[in-house]
Amino acid sequence: MQRGALLDAARSLLSEGGTEALTFPALAERTGLARSSVYEYFRSRAAVVEELCAVDFPVWAAEVETAMDRADTPEGKVEAYVRRQLDLVGDRRHRAVVAISASELDAGAREKIRAAHGQLIAMIVEALGELGQEQPRLGAMLLQGVVDAAVRRIELGVAEDPATVADAAVAMALRGVRG
């Protein structure tokens, strides 16, 4: 229960203040634990980040995969892949993952994040192949770049409505994968 409370506090800190806000004193304050107790659960900030990725990313990826499974066509799968990720931007698990990916982490944490993104990208490769992409894995990585750019745009929160950004990202993605 304490470990779960620490992870929940870490999500909140990351989504509220970015990686700078994720400190052991802040975790201790949020959970009511002594700072030394936090170290009993995690040896470093990177360890907190790694566990958040291990816990949250599969849930996030499963939501994307479920949305894709509901689609009947390869184009529908691409649209679901883009839209579901962009729908998750307001979710604090997602905000934590975005904050994590922007931070300076040790090699182990960065590798776990890369592996998790690799699993997400792998979901769309088959649909891109069905759409005639000659290099569907490369296409999937580029498509994720469109999603990542749209996420950053939505998170700025100063210009377009998130639905407008999502529509533009889907249109760009579909035009791009159709050639």
Side-chain angles (χ1 to χ4, degrees), residues 77-97:
K77 290 184 184 306
V78 169
E79 181 170 355
Y81 178 84
V82 173
R83 283 196 189 279
R84 188 62 193 131
Q85 287 187 68
L86 297 179
D87 288 345
L88 290 168
V89 170
D91 185 294
R92 92 191 160 103
R93 288 170 301 158
H94 177 265
R95 288 197 311 257
V97 170

Side-chain angles (χ1 to χ4, degrees), residues 5-147:
L6 285 164
L7 291 175
D8 195 44
R11 280 182 206 98
S12 294
L13 289 166
L14 285 166
S15 67
E16 293 165 11
T19 54
E20 299 80 30
L22 180 60
T23 64
F24 278 28
L27 284 171
E29 183 179 327
R30 288 277 173 115
T31 58
L33 294 172
R35 185 175 171 188
S36 60
S37 296
V38 176
Y39 284 100
E40 291 177 29
Y41 293 95
F42 300 103
R43 70 187 185 292
S44 66
R45 198 166 75 139
V48 176
V49 167
E50 286 179 44
E51 186 144 345
L52 278 174
C53 284
V55 170
D56 290 348
F57 201 87
V59 174
W60 179 24
E63 292 179 27
V64 173
E65 187 171 35
T66 298
M68 290 174 61
D69 287 345
R70 291 187 194 119
D72 296 329
T73 65
E75 290 91 347
K77 290 184 184 306
V78 169
E79 181 170 355
Y81 178 84
V82 173
R83 283 196 189 279
R84 188 62 193 131
Q85 287 187 68
L86 297 179
D87 288 345
L88 290 168
V89 170
D91 185 294
R92 92 191 160 103
R93 288 170 301 158
H94 177 265
R95 288 197 311 257
V97 170
V98 169
I100 288 165
S101 64
S103 68
E104 295 179 19
L105 301 171
D106 65 28
R110 281 194 310 271
E111 184 53 40
K112 286 191 181 203
I113 291 169
R114 268 193 293 277
H117 275 106
Q119 292 170 356
L120 189 63
I121 289 167
M123 286 184 209
I124 198 66
V125 170
E126 183 179 339
L128 294 178
E130 290 174 17
L131 286 167
Q133 287 285 310
E134 291 181 23
Q135 296 181 324
R137 176 106 177 118
L138 174 60
M141 288 186 268
L142 296 173
L143 176 59
Q144 187 61 43
V146 169
V147 173

